[in-house]
Amino acid sequence: MIPSANRTEEWLKKIKPYSKRLGEVPELIVEGKLSRMVGLTLEAEGCRASIGSLCQVETKSGKKIGAEVVGFSGNKIFLMPTGKTEGLEPGCKVIPLGENSLANVGMGLLGRVIDGAGNPLDDKGSLKTDAKISLGGTAINPLSRKPIRESLDVGVRAINSILAVGRGQRMGLFAGTGVGKSVLLGMMTKFTSADIVVVGLIGERGREVNEFVLKILGEEGMKRSVVVASPADDTPLMRVHGAMLATSIAEYYRDQGMDVLLLMDSLTRYAQAHREIALAIDEPPATKGYPPSVFAKLPHLVERAGNADDGGGSITAFYTVLAEGDDNNDPIADAARGVLDGHVVLSRSLAEAGHFPAIDIEASISRVMPDIADERHMGLAKNLRRLYSLYQQNKDLISVGAYQAGADPRIDEAIAKNTAISEFLQQSMDESVDIESSLNELETLLGAE
């Protein structure tokens, strides 16, 4: 109820922290009550808030817990907490804040490690930001985007030569556990020709965050990088926010005219966090436990990367996709292939043989390569794929001695150059090879006797 006139001043003071404008009187009751908690979902009654808006839950001891509206039913709203829920009980105050999540962005984020809420995780003091932008991003008219016509040097020989990446392209890095995807991401972070690198570590082990920053990125790599870390023990909502925050930061730098490399590890953990939220509010599962809304969220995130309009910068993105049980056809992997501009597949058998990076060039493809590579580049890549595929198709015959030399000149050539091709596709994690050097080495390999 709206308070009586003689208590208006006292009431306005009470709601001041939760109102966007001093003296604003909400249409309905300001404070609701927490009525139920099932799993990670909070149910509140007596207040009204829109999807995606923020609320604050206050315990009787005075502890304040942030939450976001993720659904509603009748006069109830469903909330997902952004922090730990210890101390919650029936009757806790639920106060709508009247605003949606925003991302603090600016050049002061370079060299910093932050969490999914934008708070610093390092010991470098408070963050210096220039602006606040929507965490959900702003859609770009697809007809206004610059076409992808320029290559981006990622410093990895196998990718630069066989899977050319364009500025503004979205690539998937498909891999099982323990085959070197994080190390490959670190190489691209250090060796890329992009102006800014934004790394999103979403749902991974907390131990890997420190290792990625100290060992893989290093001091030099961090100078032009921003790391957003939301490890596996974060709430599902914070993991989702971490992925969205990393994308928002990349969008900000792109809008400043910079070329940005966005590395997100992993898109699968982002989808799993959405699955946890959807199942918690009783959305029925559809495919292997994933509700339909999860498959709608993937393109919303991925489509935010890419080129801006004329005069703007670009976001070239690599999203790792975890192939559970080494199955590259699980629902998330299959959905990701449909919305990305190509995929790099890492092979467990190559990784176990000590081949790094363990890129399976037969299963990998860059869909924009014909638009950014010249005739020489396309011809060299096509010839290497031909020789590599010929050897793999006849590998069993060759290994048991069933193939007789001279039976097929093409297979003879594949056998003769197999060792050189294998060495060409391998690279030390501390070695950087640019595009032109990659092509020159490949030309020498294919032209050698």
Side-chain angles (χ1 to χ4, degrees):
M1 296 177 58
I2 300 299
S4 57
N6 60 348
R7 298 185 61 190
T8 298
E9 184 176 352
E10 178 184 350
W11 182 74
L12 288 175
K13 289 180 180 179
K14 181 179 180 182
I15 70 167
K16 178 181 177 181
Y18 313 113
S19 182
K20 289 190 293 183
R21 299 187 296 276
L22 181 61
E24 179 182 7
V25 180
E27 297 178 2
L28 298 179
I29 301 173
V30 175
E31 295 178 358
K33 298 292 183 182
L34 187 64
S35 60
R36 187 184 180 204
M37 179 176 180
V38 179
L40 295 175
T41 307
L42 309 178
E43 292 185 11
E45 297 179 344
C47 56
R48 187 171 70 179
S50 60
I51 295 292
S53 63
L54 301 177
C55 295
Q56 192 172 76
V57 183
E58 292 187 2
T59 66
K60 293 182 180 179
S61 64
K63 180 181 178 181
K64 298 178 181 179
I65 299 172
E68 181 177 306
V69 180
V70 295
F72 58 85
S73 176
N75 63 345
K76 297 180 180 179
I77 59 173
F78 302 137
L79 308 167
M80 189 67 66
T82 58
K84 298 186 181 300
T85 57
E86 285 81 358
L88 291 180
E89 58 183 314
C92 289
K93 294 179 182 179
V94 178
I95 306 167
L97 301 183
E99 59 186 17
N100 293 344
S101 298
L102 297 174
N104 292 305
V105 294
M107 298 305 295
L109 292 178
L110 291 177
R112 302 302 301 270
V113 182
I114 59 178
D115 63 14
N119 301 313
L121 290 174
D122 48 26
D123 298 323
K124 298 181 180 180
S126 59
L127 298 172
K128 297 179 181 180
T129 55
D130 304 325
K132 292 185 177 183
I133 61 176
S134 170
L135 197 64
T138 303
I140 299 178
N141 186 329
L143 296 181
S144 301
R145 288 185 185 268
K146 289 187 300 184
I148 300 174
R149 293 292 182 267
E150 298 179 20
S151 297
L152 178 72
D153 188 351
V154 295
V156 180
R157 185 191 296 114
I159 295 178
N160 281 341
S161 59
I162 311 302
L163 303 165
V165 176
R167 294 182 186 272
Q169 185 174 0
R170 290 81 53 93
M171 291 283 283
L173 189 59
F174 291 71
T177 55
V179 295
K181 62 181 183 299
S182 295
V183 179
L184 181 57
L185 288 179
M187 288 178 63
M188 290 189 285
T189 303
K190 290 188 292 185
F191 303 145
T192 182
S193 61
D195 303 317
I196 302 290
V197 180
V198 180
V199 182
L201 301 176
I202 310 302
E204 297 299 314
R205 292 178 290 274
R207 171 186 61 82
E208 291 184 336
V209 176
N210 198 38
E211 289 185 357
F212 190 91
V213 172
L214 295 179
K215 295 183 179 180
I216 299 178
L217 273 180
E219 185 177 350
E220 286 300 317
M222 279 298 298
K223 288 182 179 179
R224 56 170 178 166
S225 303
V226 182
V227 178
V228 180
S230 183
D233 60 342
D234 273 358
T235 64
L237 188 62
M238 288 309 300
R239 280 176 266 148
V240 169
H241 279 191
M244 297 171 68
L245 176 59
T247 307
S248 295
I249 294 171
E251 287 176 321
Y252 170 79
Y253 292 130
R254 177 186 64 188
D255 293 342
Q256 307 305 308
M258 301 179 184
D259 292 319
V260 183
L261 179 63
L262 171 63
L263 305 174
M264 189 168 296
D265 187 12
S266 71
L267 190 64
T268 302
R269 303 300 187 198
Y270 168 80
Q272 289 174 345
H274 265 301
R275 177 175 64 180
E276 293 178 45
I277 295 173
L279 293 178
I281 58 176
D282 295 330
E283 183 180 351
T287 306
K288 288 191 177 180
Y290 287 97
S293 63
V294 173
F295 300 101
K297 295 290 186 180
L298 289 177
H300 286 172
L301 181 72
V302 171
E303 283 295 326
R304 293 172 60 183
N307 285 334
D309 53 12
D310 289 337
S314 66
I315 300 176
T316 307
F318 278 82
Y319 300 93
T320 67
V321 180
L322 182 61
E324 297 185 6
D326 291 334
D327 179 12
N328 287 318
N329 293 312
D330 71 45
I332 299 304
D334 195 47
R337 270 194 298 269
V339 297
L340 295 171
D341 302 321
H343 48 271
V344 179
V345 178
L346 300 187
S347 165
R348 184 171 300 278
S349 61
L350 288 175
E352 290 173 346
H355 188 292
F356 180 84
I359 298 174
D360 184 347
I361 63 171
E362 286 186 295
S364 305
I365 190 172
S366 171
R367 291 175 176 166
V368 304
M369 186 172 178
D371 298 324
I372 60 175
D374 57 24
E375 186 176 350
R376 171 194 176 224
H377 191 166
M378 290 295 295
L380 291 172
K382 180 180 178 181
N383 286 337
L384 185 136
R385 281 181 178 273
R386 176 180 60 82
L387 293 173
Y388 185 89
S389 181
L390 269 174
Y391 185 86
Q392 296 302 318
Q393 291 170 10
N394 296 276
K395 185 175 182 179
D396 292 340
L397 293 176
I398 297 169
S399 61
V400 299
Y403 175 76
Q404 296 297 318
D408 189 331
R410 299 177 304 162
I411 299 178
D412 291 342
E413 182 184 13
I415 295 173
K417 294 180 178 177
N418 178 64
T419 300
I421 290 174
S422 179
E423 292 175 353
F424 173 82
L425 296 175
Q426 296 182 63
Q427 184 174 333
S428 167
M429 63 182 68
D430 297 321
E431 178 187 5
S432 175
V433 185
D434 61 31
I435 295 176
E436 190 58 34
S437 296
S438 301
L439 294 180
N440 290 338
E441 290 181 35
L442 181 55
E443 193 168 39
T444 301
L445 184 158
L446 297 176
E449 291 297 327

